[in-house]
Amino acid sequence: MAAAMGRLRRIAREIGARAATPAGALIFVALLTAIRLAFAASAAPTEDEAYYRLWALHPAWGFLDHPPMVAWWMAGGMAVFGDTMLGLRAAGVLATAIGSIALLRTAWIILGDRAAASLAVLFFNATILVGVAGIITTPDQPSALFWGLSLWALAELIRSDKGVWWLAIGLFAGLGLVSKYSSLFLGAGIVLWLALYPETRRWFLRWELWAGGVLAVLLFTPVVIWNADHGWASFAKQFGRAEVDGLTARYLPEFIGVEILLVNPLLAPFVVTGALGFLEAARRRDVKRGLIVATSAPFVLYLLLHSLHDRVQGNWPTPLFAASALVAADAATRLATIARPWRTVLEWLRPWIVPVGLVFSVVALAHAVHPIGGFVSRADPTKQLRGWESLADALEAKRIEIGADWIATQDYSLTAQLAFRLRTVPIIQLNERIRYEAAPQPDMALLAKPALYVVPDQAFYRGFIATRFHGIEPLGTMERSAGGVGLQRYLIFKLTEPIGNPLDAPAAWWLYWKGE
């Protein structure tokens, strides 16, 4: 057994050495991109992806949950590949490839070493988050891409000392803000970096910096205008997360543990070691390494503070993963400078990082496409992909049977998943209509006709629906299941005789939502 492990370790080391060149890294990225596109075209949509698809059908300058970039990306992919899974995901997969190439150049400039730069690309793609979630289109993909492109432009600014790069920085930073509001932390990090060093403070006196800032603001202005026209809905939803209602340490271990898993447990020690080295270099006025520290610090600090009062979602730190791979690659290429016994541990781990990350990612993606061994459970993270096709077919059969003209829902995930599969049937969410503000609104002629109402059993309150319809006929239950495992039970009703416009929230409807 020990001999076999030794041989595998030598093979992993040799493969890693061949790939740790710029050409090898680019070939590696090209192969992974082809594999990801294949999986992207095969796996069913997540609930959020199906929801963002509804945005992409009617692109706008803003939506309740996020800025609009993810919708534009999907719309672009759908224009090329049609309203298919590949159409929904192609832009996101290609963004990971482009981000990898940008990271190669950025790391080359910052670290001054081709092998280390190539290793950063390998490490980035061996993270579990990028390996598994890289095929899933979310706002994190454009956010991470434009964050990474901003770092690349900043690195080129350092290398060339040409102020024109500030225009590229402003372009990418502005597009980042149109992708996700967390890009504001990148702006704070850039200002911090400028203020830290005499060499960078001089840029405050150059017109190019201010022109780049104006460009970023101009790109973001339509999103601000959309919010102003919609009661600041999106800003309130996202910035409301920052409200502190007492401090607790209960979420901090979860945050750290989840990120270690998503980074890749074998890579995490290199990230920590590299980050400590970068902090020391930044303290010694290393402008290049200080750039990575300064642009990451505000977001890292926010995430740590947020974890002291609420849960941090695992995907939130996505824009930091490229920088994490960069500092990890730096640590991995200077192992000789690290004291033992820590160096011994890192030397043993290094050959396994990329193989383990890739194998885990491929297995996870394969399981997402088709459950390995047919195994499905309620605890399976991929369960949200399962059982929708059969549920949609059963609901469509019931709709036809009872003579209903449309299907009514009350949550966005169910609405989106049914709309993805029942393309010719109106699927209308009764509440939270701002989610669909950009789409053509249903007319009263349709709403006056009978509807099939579908609701998760734990979310049903009769009073809620009684404020909207006089006729409420129970029709039993249906279950979304996969592999013989029940994943969600739904109550179904026939609705008739709407009370006014059933899409207008009645006064005090929230009391019924609470069951009062």
Side-chain angles (χ1 to χ4, degrees):
M1 181 67 176
M5 288 296 291
R7 284 196 296 272
L8 285 174
R9 190 166 182 271
R10 285 193 297 273
I11 292 171
R13 187 187 293 113
E14 291 173 7
I15 293 174
R18 291 175 183 270
T21 64
L26 292 176
I27 293 172
F28 176 77
V29 169
L31 290 173
L32 278 183
T33 301
I35 294 170
R36 287 170 180 154
L37 286 172
F39 279 118
S42 305
T46 65
E47 293 171 357
D48 282 349
E49 282 183 301
Y51 175 46
Y52 300 144
R53 169 185 169 270
L54 298 180
W55 296 2
L57 293 174
H58 308 283
W61 274 105
F63 299 94
L64 173 64
D65 307 79
H66 293 289
M69 185 63 74
V70 67
W72 299 351
W73 275 30
M74 280 190 171
M78 291 161 66
V80 177
F81 299 106
D83 191 358
T84 63
M85 289 313 306
L86 185 58
L88 299 183
R89 289 172 169 161
V93 174
L94 295 177
T96 301
I98 295 170
S100 297
I101 296 170
L103 174 60
L104 179 66
R105 177 62 177 170
T106 304
W108 195 334
I109 296 172
I110 298 297
L111 303 179
D113 185 292
R114 295 184 180 188
S118 303
L119 193 60
V121 173
L122 302 186
F123 283 174
F124 175 65
N125 284 276
T127 62
I128 305 305
L129 179 67
V130 173
V132 176
I135 73 162
I136 300 172
T137 300
T138 69
D140 297 296
Q141 287 177 323
S143 174
L145 173 63
F146 293 123
W147 189 300
L149 290 175
S150 298
L151 289 182
W152 163 64
L154 285 161
E156 295 288 2
L157 173 74
I158 296 173
R159 182 195 61 81
S160 67
D161 201 38
K162 293 181 179 179
V164 69
W165 280 103
W166 281 112
L167 300 180
I169 295 163
L171 171 66
F172 296 137
L175 293 173
L177 286 170
V178 180
S179 302
K180 202 169 183 181
Y181 300 132
S182 54
S183 293
L184 288 168
F185 291 105
L186 173 61
I190 294 173
V191 173
L192 175 61
W193 177 67
L194 289 169
L196 279 177
Y197 306 104
E199 306 96 300
T200 54
R201 285 197 287 270
R202 64 188 174 86
W203 287 113
F204 283 120
L205 302 178
R206 296 283 295 272
W207 70 268
E208 296 97 332
L209 181 148
W210 298 102
V214 169
L215 178 58
V217 170
L218 288 175
L219 287 169
F220 188 54
T221 296
V223 179
V224 177
I225 293 173
W226 183 92
N227 270 275
D229 289 342
H230 294 82
W232 308 102
S234 185
F235 285 172
K237 180 177 178 63
Q238 293 300 333
F239 296 134
R241 299 176 186 271
E243 294 181 4
V244 178
D245 188 23
L247 298 178
T248 175
R250 61 178 293 198
Y251 300 110
L252 180 60
E254 175 188 309
F255 167 51
I256 295 173
V258 167
E259 293 312 313
I260 288 174
L261 290 174
L262 292 178
V263 163
N264 183 330
L266 303 185
L267 181 61
F270 291 86
V271 175
V272 174
T273 304
L276 292 175
F278 267 58
L279 283 168
E280 177 59 24
R283 189 186 66 81
R284 297 196 313 267
R285 296 176 58 171
D286 182 330
V287 174
K288 291 182 178 179
R289 285 170 168 77
L291 171 67
I292 303 302
V293 172
T295 52
S296 301
F299 197 21
V300 171
L301 180 61
Y302 166 74
L303 293 170
L304 287 171
L305 291 176
H306 190 93
S307 72
L308 294 178
H309 72 90
D310 200 358
R311 177 169 284 110
V312 175
Q313 299 300 320
N315 61 294
W316 289 1
T318 300
L320 300 174
F321 272 52
S324 298
L326 190 154
V327 302
D330 183 53
T333 52
R334 58 178 182 84
L335 290 179
T337 67
I338 299 173
R340 295 188 185 277
W342 186 236
R343 185 171 87 191
T344 303
V345 174
L346 296 181
E347 286 175 339
W348 191 91
L349 291 175
R350 177 177 160 168
W352 298 109
I353 294 170
V354 176
V356 169
L358 294 180
V359 168
F360 182 89
S361 298
V362 169
V363 171
L365 291 175
H367 178 68
V369 173
H370 184 77
I372 295 176
F375 178 76
V376 178
S377 76
R378 291 178 179 270
D380 188 342
T382 67
K383 69 178 182 181
Q384 64 167 292
L385 310 177
R386 319 281 188 206
W388 290 107
E389 200 71 46
S390 58
L391 175 66
D393 290 344
L395 287 171
E396 174 64 355
K398 178 60 71 173
R399 182 190 71 83
I400 294 172
E401 176 188 329
I402 66 172
D405 289 84
W406 55 289
I407 294 177
T409 65
Q410 68 178 44
D411 71 87
Y412 77 89
S413 59
L414 177 61
T415 303
Q417 290 284 17
L418 293 180
F420 179 76
R421 290 162 176 84
L422 302 176
R423 304 290 178 93
T424 62
V425 180
I427 313 295
I428 302 174
Q429 185 173 337
L430 299 176
N431 56 329
E432 298 181 324
R433 291 302 306 169
I434 192 173
R435 292 185 182 276
Y436 314 100
E437 187 272 344
Q441 297 303 300
D443 59 41
M444 282 301 299
L446 173 65
L447 300 177
K449 296 177 180 178
L452 177 67
Y453 176 49
V454 189
V455 58
D457 59 353
Q458 76 276 16
F460 175 68
Y461 298 111
R462 189 176 184 87
F464 169 77
I465 201 65
T467 62
R468 299 166 188 263
F469 293 88
H470 286 302
I472 307 171
E473 179 186 346
L475 299 176
T477 64
M478 286 189 182
E479 190 168 57
R480 179 168 64 88
S481 62
V485 177
L487 302 176
Q488 175 67 64
R489 193 167 73 102
Y490 298 89
L491 306 181
I492 55 174
F493 301 82
K494 182 177 182 179
L495 301 180
T496 55
E497 302 176 61
I499 301 172
N501 184 345
L503 304 186
D504 291 337
W509 68 268
W510 58 274
L511 292 176
Y512 297 112
W513 188 259
K514 293 181 178 181
E516 298 181 14

